[in-house]
Amino acid sequence: MFNDDFSPAEDRLTNGEKLDKYTGDVGWKYLHPHYQAGNLIYVDPSIDLKTAGLAFAEDDKEQVQAWLRSGDLVQPCDLHVEHWIKTGTRFNAMIVRPFILAQAILQSSE
């Protein structure tokens, strides 16, 4: 009755492919509800966003904890938010349930 080659419940994408699929350029308006829910993690630009996403997706607790200790990953506070709103910062954001990882898009100084 059902085709064994296709099952909507079966996701054959790799973690990297899923992260690519759920990554995009967003403004603060998109991130704000996630910030309010406590699910937003800011990723320092010194870390590749996909590398951070893979660490979360693959439950690499040691790496995530190391980044948290060093301050390369932070849960933003109201001061961050005020700055981002004031400067109109845009972000690359990645969904890694239950979190949203966000990294400021650095403006070129041309």
Side-chain angles (χ1 to χ4, degrees), residues 33-98:
H34 303 287
Y35 168 73
Q36 287 183 312
N39 297 332
L40 182 63
I41 305 291
Y42 182 76
V43 179
D44 188 85
S46 66
I47 300 174
D48 177 69
L49 185 61
K50 189 170 182 179
T51 299
L54 284 170
F56 275 83
E58 296 170 359
D59 201 24
D60 186 346
K61 292 176 184 163
E62 286 185 34
Q63 181 61 71
V64 171
Q65 288 296 324
W67 285 328
L68 287 167
R69 282 191 302 274
S70 70
D72 290 328
L73 295 179
V74 296
Q75 279 198 289
C77 67
D78 290 342
L79 291 174
H80 292 106
V81 173
E82 288 174 26
H83 172 74
W84 294 331
I85 291 171
K86 182 180 176 183
T87 60
T89 303
R90 299 228 22 110
F91 300 86
N92 280 324
M94 175 181 289
I95 300 170
V96 187
R97 292 188 191 268

Side-chain angles (χ1 to χ4, degrees), residues 4 6-7 18 21 28 45 47 62 70 80 82 90 109:
D4 290 333
F6 177 75
S7 170
K18 288 176 195 173
K21 182 177 179 179
W28 178 250
I47 300 174
E62 286 185 34
S70 70
H80 292 106
E82 288 174 26
R90 299 228 22 110
S109 57

